[in-house]
Amino acid sequence: MQTLLQQIVNGLVVGSVYAVVALGYTMVYGILGLINFAHGEVLMVGALVALSAITFFQSVLPDLHPIAYFVMGLLVAMPVCMAVGYTIERTAYRRLRNAPRLAPLITAIGVSFLLQTLAMIIWGRNYHSFPQLIQTAPIEIVAGVFMTPVQMTTVGVSAAMMIGLVILVTRTNMGRAMRATAENHRVASLMGVDTNRIIALTFIIGSALAAVAGVMIASNYGVAHYSMGFLPGLKAFTAAVLGGIGNLAGAMVGGIVLGLVEAIGAGYIETWTGGWLNSSYQDIFAFLILGIVLIFRPTGLLGERVADRA
Amino acid sequence: MIKLLEARGIGKRFGGLRALTEVSLTINKGEVYGLIGPNGAGKTTFFNVLTGAYTPEDGEFVFNGSELPLGKPDRIVNRGIARTFQNIRLFREMTALENVMAGHFIRTKTGLLGVLLQTRHTREEEKLTTERAYELLKYVGIERHARTLSRNLSYGDQRRLEIARALATEPRLLALDEPAAGMNATETSQLRTLIETIRSDGTTVLLIEHDVKLVMGLCDRVAVLDFGKKIAEDVPAEVQRNPAVIEAYLGGAHHAAH
Amino acid sequence: MNNISQAIPFLGSRNPKAALITLVVLVLTAPLFAGLFGNTWVRILDFALLYILLAIGLNLVVGFAGLLDLGYIAFYAVGAYTWAFLASPHFGLHLPFYVVLPVGAAFAALAGIALGFPTLRLRGDYLAIVTLGFGEIIRIFMNNLTHPVNITNGPQGIDQIDGMTIPLVGLELNRGLQVTDDFKISSLFLYYYVFLAFVVLAVILVKRLQVSRIGRAWAAIRDDELAAKAIGINTRNLKLLAFAMGATFGGVAGGLFGAFQGFVSPESFTLMESIAILTMIVFGGMGNLAGVIVGALALSFLPEVLRHIALPIQQALFGKVYLDPEVLRMLLLSLAMILMMLMKPAGLIPAQSRYSRADLLGDKEARHDQAA
C-alpha cells in the first residue's frame, strides 16, 4: 500500500511536468494542426540555459539564497526559450503552412535535431550536473510516503503555470483571439484577428512553459544534457493525445494520467511479468499508451474535435 | 424491365442526425437514373452508403440479383459499382493514363511474385491495361493528354478523366456525383453526350445533379430526396409536377433565405 | 539504371548510352579509386551501399505509399540481430547466409506487418509518431532483454558474428581472397561487390514494383486514399504489403550489416539513424529511385568528407576541434532536411510520374503524345 501511495506521489510529480509540456503541443496542434516535434528540444534548451545562467550568477553574485539563483535561472531561461520558439515558427513553420501534410512534420523533425546538435556544440555532449538549489531531502508527508521539496515545488509551479494559462486563454482578449484562430483561421482574420501574431504568441507561450518544465526536470534529476528533451517531449505529446489533442484540459489530465501509469507501471512491472521485464522498460508505457489511444480512441479522453487534415 | 439495383429501407444516422430514413428505390438495367433534392437532402450520403464509404444502420442493397456487402468499398467495386466524386479526386501525381490504369486494378490479377519476376503473364496484363486505359481516354475524349499529370489538366478534362477512371473498373452501374458542377454550357452539353454514349454502350448510370435541366433532359427516371427521405420517384415530367417536390424545393429556398 | 545515369550532369540527357556506360564503369571501379585514399574509404563506400539499400526500402514505404515511417531502423535491427543470433557464438549457431538472410528478411517483414496492422487507420503525422515509438520500443528491448534469459546481451551487443561465406566456391568474405602468394583482395572489396549485387537486385525489383498494378495502387493510396478505395483498391492489404516489403529490404540490409561489421549493438539502431535515412530520401527526391540513391550516396559521403577536411582545418585554425565528426554529421543532416523542405521540397531529383510503361502503346499513340 505504501509503495503504491509512493508511486502515486511520484507519478503526480512527473505527470504535472508532462502536463505543462503537453500544453505546448496541444496549443500548437489546436491552432496549426502541426505536431511541433521540436517542442521537447525547447525544454532541453531551457534547462541548459538555466544551468549556464545559474552558474554565471553563482560566480558573479555569490552568497545569495539558493532559491534566488533558481528564480534567476528561470527568468533567463524563459525569454531565451520564447525567442527560440518564435524563431522556429517564423523561419521554419510559417512558410509551410499550406504545404503538403508531411512537409511541416519533416521540417519539425529537422528542427528538433538541429536544436540538439546546436546544444551539443554549445554545451558539449556530456551530462552536466544541475545544481540542487532546492532541498532534496525527502520529507515524510504521510506515514511511509515521502516527498522532496523539489517535488513539491515542481507540483506547485506546474499547477501555477496551468492555472495561469487557463486564465489567459479563457479570460483575456488574447485568449479569445487564440480560440478564434484555432476554430478557423480565415474567419478569425476576417474578424480582425492578426492570426500570424496569434500563432507566433502561441509558440512563445508554449516555449515559456517548456522552459519552466525543463528547469523542473533538471532540478528533479540533478542532470542536464543535450538529449534530455526527447523523451519528455515524446511523453508529453503522448499525454496531449491521451487527453485529446487540441484540448487544454485534456493535456493536463493526460499528463497526470500518463505520469501515474508510468510510475505505477514501473513499480510493478517486474511483479506482473514474473521478472521478465523490469523498471528499465518504464519508457515503453508511454509508447504503448500512445499506440493504443491513437488506434482505439484517437480523440483521446476528453477530445471531441478532431482536426481533419487528411 | 430488369432490376439492377434495389435499395431497401436504407437508414443512416450521424450521431443524432438522421441523414437517410428508409430510402428505397429501384434502378433498372440500362437507364439513366437521377437523384435530386435540395442541399443537405442526403444525396451524397446515399452515394457514400451505396459505394461503401459509410455503413448504413438499416436496410440493404440488392445488386444484380444478390445482396451487396455493406461498408466494403473494394468488394462493392468488384461487384460492379463505380463512382466519381463531387469535388474531383484524382491521383494528382500520376498522369492521366496512369490514373485510368490504376482504375483497372480490380480487374487485373498479377500478384507480388508475378511483378517481381516479371512473368510473361504480367507483361501481357500490363500491356492490356495500358491499351485499355488509352482506349478509355479516347472514349472520354482526352487521349491527347495521356501523359499529362492529372493535376495539370483543365477542370473539364479532370471530370472526364475521373469518369474514365471509374469506367476502367468495368462497372455495371456508374454513379456520378454532380458531374456538371462548375462546368460551362458547352462542357455540360459535351458531358451529356458522353453520358448518353455510356448508357447506349450498356452501362447503367446513377446521376446526382443540381442542374435540373440536365437531369430532366437526360434521365429516364428521377428520385427526389428531402431531409433524408424519398418523396418522389417517377419519370421526369411527373416529378416536376409533383406538389411535394415543388414544396421541398420552395421550402429549401425558404430555408436558405434565413 | 537508365534514369540514374541520366542524372549525371551534362552527359546524362545528351548521350544516354555513354552516360550508362560511364555509370557502370564508375560503379565497378569505385572501390579501386576509393582504395587509393586508403581502406577507410572503401569501408565508407560499403556503408554507402547499405544506406542505399535502406533508403530504397524506406522509399518504398514513404515515397511510394506515402506512409511516413520514423521507426524504419527497427527492421534493420531485426535483420542484424537475426544474423547475430543465428550465426555467432552467442547461441552457438553458425548457419549459412542463404538461410540466415531470408530468415532475417522474413522476421523483418513480420515486424513490418505487426507495425502496419494496428496503424492502418492513422493519419500521416500520427503514423509517424507511432512508428517512432515502435522503433524506440524495439531499441528498449534490445537494450534490456538480458534476463532471465540473455537474448540480446544488452548494451554490450553481440560480437564475433560470422561473416558471409559464398557457397560452392567456399569464399569467406571476411578473409579476403588470396589471389597469388603476395596479392590479396581485401574483404572490404569483396563486400563491396556483394553489397552492389544486392543494390542492383533491389533497384530492379523496386522498378518492377513501381511500374506495376501494385506500384500504381500504392501511388493511388498516397495521392488520395478515399479515391483509391473508390476504384476498388484494398487499401489495408496494400499498405501492409508496403510495410512488409519496405521492412524486408531493411531486414536484408541489417543482415548484411551484421555480417560485415561482425558486431551488433543497440547503439547502431537509434532514432537518429531512422532520421538519417529519411533525410537521404528527402534530400534526393522522395518517390524517385534515382533521387533516393543520389541522396543516400551524398549524405553518407558528405559527413565523411567533412570529417576528413573539417577536422584538420579546425586543428590548424584553432588548435583544437570544436565540431567533432558526429556533430558535423548531425548538423549536416538536420540542415539538409530543413533547407530541402523549405527550398526544394521535391528533392534534388524530383520524382516524375512513372507508374506505367506508356511505350507499350503503339508508335502512333506515342507520336500523338509527343505532339500534344
Side-chain angles (χ1 to χ4, degrees):
Chain A
M1 192 60 201
Q2 269 169 10
T3 334
L4 182 64
L5 275 177
Q6 185 62 54
Q7 294 296 354
I8 289 176
V9 168
N10 295 348
L12 280 175
V13 175
V14 183
S16 67
V17 180
Y18 290 160
V20 170
V21 184
L23 285 172
Y25 278 109
T26 228
M27 284 195 302
V28 168
Y29 196 94
I31 287 193
L32 285 182
L34 164 76
I35 299 176
N36 179 14
F37 206 84
H39 191 58
E41 264 53 60
V42 176
L43 172 163
M44 169 274 293
V45 171
L48 286 168
V49 167
L51 171 67
S52 296
I54 291 168
T55 318
F56 172 76
F57 286 122
Q58 278 176 334
S59 69
V60 293
L61 299 169
D63 306 325
L64 292 183
H65 191 274
I67 302 286
Y69 296 122
F70 183 82
V71 173
M72 285 175 179
L74 269 180
L75 288 182
V76 176
M78 284 171 73
V80 171
C81 284
M82 289 156 104
V84 170
Y86 175 75
T87 312
I88 296 173
E89 194 274 325
R90 198 59 240 271
T91 52
Y93 299 155
R94 188 172 291 186
R95 296 158 184 236
L96 292 170
R97 248 177 240 168
N98 299 313
R101 61 201 172 99
L102 291 185
L105 182 67
I106 292 177
T107 311
I109 294 168
V111 171
S112 164
F113 278 85
L114 182 63
L115 283 178
Q116 279 198 30
T117 314
L118 293 178
M120 213 193 264
I121 294 171
I122 298 172
W123 286 281
R125 55 171 75 218
N126 299 330
Y127 282 52
H128 301 279
S129 72
F130 197 87
Q132 304 278 342
L133 298 166
I134 302 169
Q135 284 296 316
T136 48
I139 298 167
E140 192 164 23
I141 44 171
V142 193
V145 180
F146 294 87
M147 208 173 168
T148 65
V150 178
Q151 291 184 316
M152 293 177 194
T153 315
T154 304
V155 174
V157 172
S158 301
M161 302 300 289
M162 289 188 253
I163 293 168
L165 186 78
V166 169
I167 292 174
L168 181 84
V169 171
T170 54
R171 299 283 163 83
T172 64
N173 276 335
M174 200 186 94
R176 202 166 302 131
M178 284 172 73
R179 281 179 287 145
T181 310
E183 202 64 47
N184 189 326
H185 288 212
R186 224 168 52 80
V187 174
S189 67
L190 286 176
M191 306 297 275
V193 176
D194 182 351
T195 49
N196 272 339
R197 199 175 133 254
I198 292 300
I199 291 168
L201 273 173
T202 308
F203 274 85
I204 291 173
I205 295 169
S207 304
L209 293 178
V212 177
V215 176
M216 293 301 166
I217 291 175
S219 304
N220 271 286
Y221 295 103
V223 286
H225 55 104
Y226 75 94
S227 67
M228 67 178 280
F230 175 68
L231 266 185
L234 210 56
K235 288 176 180 174
F237 174 73
T238 304
V241 171
L242 175 61
I245 196 145
N247 180 324
L248 292 185
M252 301 186 230
V253 173
I256 304 287
V257 171
L258 181 63
L260 289 175
V261 169
E262 234 184 48
I264 294 170
Y268 290 90
I269 186 171
E270 199 153 2
T271 332
W272 292 337
T273 59
W276 270 84
L277 306 181
N278 53 39
S279 57
S280 42
Y281 288 89
Q282 184 186 354
D283 293 336
I284 66 174
F285 287 110
F287 297 122
L288 289 180
I289 287 182
L290 179 64
I292 290 168
V293 173
L294 282 178
I295 290 152
F296 294 106
R297 193 178 158 80
T299 53
L301 296 175
L302 306 184
E304 302 136 62
R305 43 169 307 192
V306 195
D308 196 349
R309 303 172 65 229
Chain B
M1 283 295 161
I2 307 162
K3 286 181 193 169
L4 179 64
L5 175 79
E6 202 181 336
R8 293 179 183 159
I10 298 297
K12 174 71 198 167
R13 274 186 302 275
F14 294 108
L17 184 78
R18 299 178 75 105
L20 292 174
T21 314
E22 298 239 340
V23 176
S24 299
L25 46 83
T26 306
I27 301 176
N28 297 318
K29 240 171 214 166
E31 69 181 356
V32 175
Y33 187 96
L35 188 60
I36 63 172
N39 277 329
K43 298 173 306 241
T44 296
T45 305
F46 181 81
F47 245 57
N48 284 334
V49 167
L50 171 64
T51 55
Y54 300 153
T55 312
E57 281 86 25
D58 309 306
E60 57 177 16
F61 290 103
V62 177
F63 183 70
N64 207 24
S66 62
E67 211 174 304
L68 212 55
L70 298 173
K72 299 264 189 300
D74 51 313
R75 288 177 54 198
I76 293 171
V77 178
N78 202 10
R79 288 284 307 278
I81 299 181
R83 71 169 294 181
T84 63
F85 292 88
Q86 192 175 336
N87 43 346
I88 306 169
R89 304 190 78 131
L90 291 167
F91 306 126
R92 296 167 45 82
E93 303 297 329
M94 295 165 102
T95 63
L97 186 73
E98 289 160 1
N99 264 275
V100 184
M101 288 176 77
H104 206 232
F105 180 86
I106 193 122
R107 302 296 168 209
T108 44
K109 298 280 168 292
T110 305
L112 182 63
L113 268 186
V115 170
L116 294 181
L117 301 176
Q118 214 54 198
T119 56
R120 209 182 131 118
H121 172 260
T122 307
R123 277 173 291 160
E124 275 165 10
E125 200 176 74
E126 187 71 10
K127 188 157 187 286
L128 202 75
T129 301
T130 315
E131 285 166 358
R132 170 120 182 83
Y134 192 77
E135 277 164 27
L136 278 169
L137 286 179
K138 252 186 198 161
Y139 187 79
V140 301
I142 55 169
E143 77 277 12
R144 66 188 179 285
H145 296 308
R147 294 185 188 188
T148 310
L149 280 191
S150 67
R151 64 182 152 102
N152 294 337
L153 291 176
S154 74
Y155 184 81
D157 287 347
Q158 291 195 359
R159 284 253 179 245
R160 286 161 179 277
L161 176 56
E162 216 190 7
I163 292 175
R165 187 181 68 187
L167 287 173
T169 67
E170 297 172 7
R172 288 192 172 90
L173 175 67
L174 176 65
L176 304 172
D177 196 349
E178 296 202 25
M183 282 190 171
N184 62 32
T186 330
E187 286 171 333
T188 306
S189 90
Q190 285 170 344
L191 176 73
R192 180 176 171 164
T193 318
L194 177 61
I195 294 175
E196 273 165 353
T197 315
I198 291 172
R199 187 231 321 245
S200 65
D201 288 341
T203 306
T204 310
V205 177
L206 167 62
L207 181 69
I208 291 184
E209 190 47 69
H210 259 314
D211 186 332
V212 176
K213 230 169 76 190
L214 181 69
V215 173
M216 295 305 169
L218 193 58
C219 295
D220 301 299
R221 289 187 311 131
V222 175
V224 186
L225 288 185
D226 188 29
F227 290 114
K229 289 182 184 149
K230 187 181 82 177
I231 56 170
E233 183 184 25
D234 213 325
V235 294
E238 288 300 319
V239 165
Q240 269 174 311
R241 279 203 295 272
N242 187 321
V245 175
I246 295 167
E247 165 60 25
Y249 269 88
L250 285 181
H254 184 65
H255 280 296
H258 276 287
Chain C
M1 288 301 258
N2 260 324
N3 29 20
I4 302 168
S5 64
Q6 271 160 23
I8 298 177
F10 306 113
L11 193 60
S13 46
R14 281 184 218 162
N15 192 341
K17 207 167 187 178
L20 187 62
I21 294 169
T22 314
L23 180 74
V24 170
V25 172
L26 262 180
V27 166
L28 287 178
T29 55
L32 303 176
F33 290 117
L36 294 178
F37 299 94
N39 273 344
T40 324
W41 288 96
V42 186
R43 196 179 173 74
I44 292 166
L45 209 53
D46 291 352
F47 269 108
L49 287 176
L50 286 181
Y51 275 117
I52 290 178
L53 213 48
L54 287 171
I56 289 175
L58 181 60
N59 179 55
L60 210 70
V61 187
V62 183
F64 288 1
L67 306 161
L68 185 50
D69 183 352
L70 296 183
Y72 187 67
I73 205 71
F75 307 124
Y76 191 52
V78 169
Y81 269 87
T82 305
W83 189 297
F85 292 154
L86 299 183
S88 82
H90 184 59
F91 290 135
L93 292 170
H94 297 280
L95 301 178
F97 93 89
Y98 50 83
V99 176
V100 182
L101 214 51
V103 171
F107 278 162
L110 282 180
I113 292 172
L115 168 66
F117 206 76
T119 56
L120 284 169
R121 279 164 40 209
L122 294 183
R123 275 181 9 227
D125 41 5
Y126 281 167
L127 176 71
I129 304 285
V130 171
T131 50
L132 185 156
F134 173 78
E136 289 300 296
I137 288 179
I138 296 274
R139 205 164 59 86
I140 291 171
F141 274 99
M142 286 188 290
N143 262 318
N144 294 299
L145 267 184
T146 50
H147 92 163
V149 181
N150 184 2
I151 298 175
T152 62
N153 206 28
Q156 291 86 16
I158 299 170
D159 58 2
Q160 294 180 306
I161 298 172
D162 300 352
M164 203 168 172
T165 303
I166 311 284
L168 301 178
V169 292
L171 175 62
E172 287 182 46
L173 261 51
N174 279 13
R175 294 187 172 205
L177 180 62
Q178 200 76 41
V179 184
T180 63
D181 279 346
D182 40 26
F183 178 64
K184 185 179 160 191
I185 302 175
S186 96
S187 78
L188 289 174
F189 283 79
L190 298 180
Y191 272 108
Y192 174 85
Y193 291 104
V194 170
F195 290 177
L196 183 65
F198 277 96
V199 169
V200 170
L201 182 67
V203 169
I204 293 172
L205 294 183
V206 168
K207 281 193 75 88
R208 286 178 172 179
L209 273 171
Q210 185 174 14
V211 184
S212 75
R213 67 191 282 269
I214 294 174
R216 283 190 295 272
W218 282 338
I221 293 172
R222 177 199 65 199
D223 283 359
D224 191 329
E225 190 167 344
L226 192 62
K229 279 184 181 158
I231 54 168
I233 291 171
N234 184 326
T235 53
R236 186 194 63 196
N237 290 357
L238 275 144
K239 280 180 172 181
L240 286 179
L241 184 62
F243 269 119
M245 286 301 294
T248 305
F249 281 91
V252 169
L256 297 175
F257 168 77
F260 176 59
Q261 184 87 344
F263 165 70
V264 295
S265 78
E267 211 169 282
S268 306
F269 310 107
T270 57
L271 175 64
M272 188 60 211
E273 288 303 310
S274 285
I275 305 290
I277 302 163
L278 179 67
T279 314
M280 291 169 183
I281 296 177
V282 168
F283 185 73
M286 218 186 268
N288 183 11
L289 212 46
V292 164
I293 291 174
V294 171
L297 266 180
L299 290 183
S300 44
F301 261 93
L302 270 179
E304 300 298 333
V305 174
L306 274 180
R307 179 203 298 259
H308 286 83
I309 296 174
L311 293 194
I313 290 181
Q314 289 182 57
Q315 205 53 270
L317 282 182
F318 314 113
K320 89 182 252 208
V321 175
Y322 286 99
L323 304 177
D324 63 60
E326 189 49 29
V327 170
L328 279 173
R329 176 168 186 249
M330 279 183 68
L331 203 57
L332 184 79
L333 289 174
S334 50
L335 282 176
M337 182 125 80
I338 299 170
L339 295 179
M340 257 352 226
M341 274 294 138
L342 290 178
M343 281 143 65
K344 211 167 180 305
L348 280 186
I349 312 176
Q352 286 154 15
S353 187
R354 212 177 278 113
Y355 306 100
S356 69
R357 289 183 52 204
D359 55 335
L360 289 176
L361 295 168
D363 259 344
K364 196 185 71 198
E365 283 96 343
R367 263 204 305 280
H368 196 145
D369 288 343
Q370 296 289 318

